[in-house]
Amino acid sequence: MEHILVTGGAGYIGSHTLVELIKSGYRVTVIDTLERSEIKIIEGVEKITNTKVDFHKINCLDYLALDSLFSKYKFNAIIHFAAYKSVNESVVKPIEYYKNNIESLLTLLEVMKKHQVNDLIFSSSCTVYGQPDSIPVDESAPFKRAESPYGASKQLCERILEDAATVEFRIISLRYFNPIGAHESALIGELPIGIPNNLVPYVTQTAAGLREKLTVFGNDYNTPDGSCVRDFIHVVDVANAHVRAIDYLSRHPKNGSFEAFNLGTGTGVSVLELVNKFIEVTGIQLPFTIGPRRPGDIEKVYADPKKIRDAFGWQTNYSLGESLLHAWNWEKKIRNK
Ligand code: UFG
């Protein structure tokens, strides 16, 4: 049985990936600081899978703790989710973001090298492209100057990985577009801290009555309805791609490789389309207003997912409506509605 270390496994995408890994027969060990998640998410994973999760409260910046974990277990591969991910927060805390996101990766790579663990799946973001010159964007699009320290940290991490891979590592970087939704059991989902910045948590919190109304940031963009266009993808589809990535690495045993893949649906959906779909599938009259553009927002971006489909045999299983319904079911669950 292959043994996978999942860093940041109590987080949003990490926890959904644990479920898919366990369902696919992998043994998992999880490390997480729990500074931005809660142990109840791991308990949710245990309930869904009916499996005890081997959990350790370890920070990826802690070389000695990682070293001792790697001495205890012989991991086949690592999936590295642990990172800070708020674009806004990164602008006010750039040093914390660079330190946490870059140093943790370097520490992990050092320990992997020492223990001769070569396979790594890295959580990247479509933010590395900025506003691409043409859409759908494929993996060959150049990186534009990142809008935020968060985005820059993902670009830098990819550069580090590309260089590291010229030695013994085999590395896959998955560039996530906009993951949304929750597990259909409503036992795990996203736990936003404070007032959400992201669209779907803001929508579900508004529907739950925690927020007065949603503001749609801009309706004068050069898009069919004037609102921004994104590639929203169900988090379980994102999770599944990680299982496929592990399988892909084991089938392509070439050392010194770094490959980046877009992880999106390939369909652009506007903010207003998403809001209307939410109203349609939940039957809730969501109060919303049109506000000014949000600084730093990209007008439209969606993936060309051909590379990942061809290489992994991966495809999405969930529609936008299902993604929004699952997000709403999770919101109701955490609000005990
Ligand atoms: N939006 C609103 N109102 C809100 C929140 C968001 O209209 O209250 C709009 C935004 O203006 C944007 C769209 O909804 O047009 C999506 O916004 P999100 O904040 O949900 O997502 P982003 O596309 O801005 O950001 C996401 C990830 C980042 C990543 C980035 C890359 O959250 O981690 O994509 O483009 F870096």
Side-chain angles (χ1 to χ4, degrees), residues 6-9 31-32 60 79-84 100-101 104-105 122-123 154:
V6 180
T7 79
I31 61 173
D32 200 295
C60 283
I79 308 183
H80 182 47
F81 292 106
Y84 291 158
N100 190 56
N101 291 2
S104 66
L105 177 66
F122 176 70
S123 296
K154 291 293 173 191

Side-chain angles (χ1 to χ4, degrees), residues 85-87 125-128 130 148 150-151 154 176-180 196-203 213-218 221 227-230 232 271 292-294 296-299 301:
K85 64 165 189 180
S86 161
V87 173
S125 165
C126 68
T127 197
V128 296
S148 67
Y150 163 74
K154 291 293 173 191
Y176 309 148
F177 281 69
N178 289 57
I180 60 166
N197 293 315
N198 294 123
L199 178 62
V200 171
Y202 207 101
V203 164
K213 59 176 185 294
L214 170 77
T215 302
V216 173
F217 297 136
Y221 285 100
S227 63
C228 289
V229 167
R230 293 288 183 277
F232 299 99
V271 173
R293 292 180 176 198
R294 184 170 71 175
D297 264 345
I298 283 160
E299 184 169 271
V301 63

Side-chain angles (χ1 to χ4, degrees), residues 103-121:
E103 209 173 300
S104 66
L105 177 66
L106 290 171
T107 309
L108 186 64
L109 288 171
E110 271 185 305
V111 178
M112 286 176 66
K113 192 173 161 72
K114 177 175 173 195
H115 293 270
Q116 294 174 324
V117 178
N118 296 335
D119 292 358
L120 175 71
I121 314 292

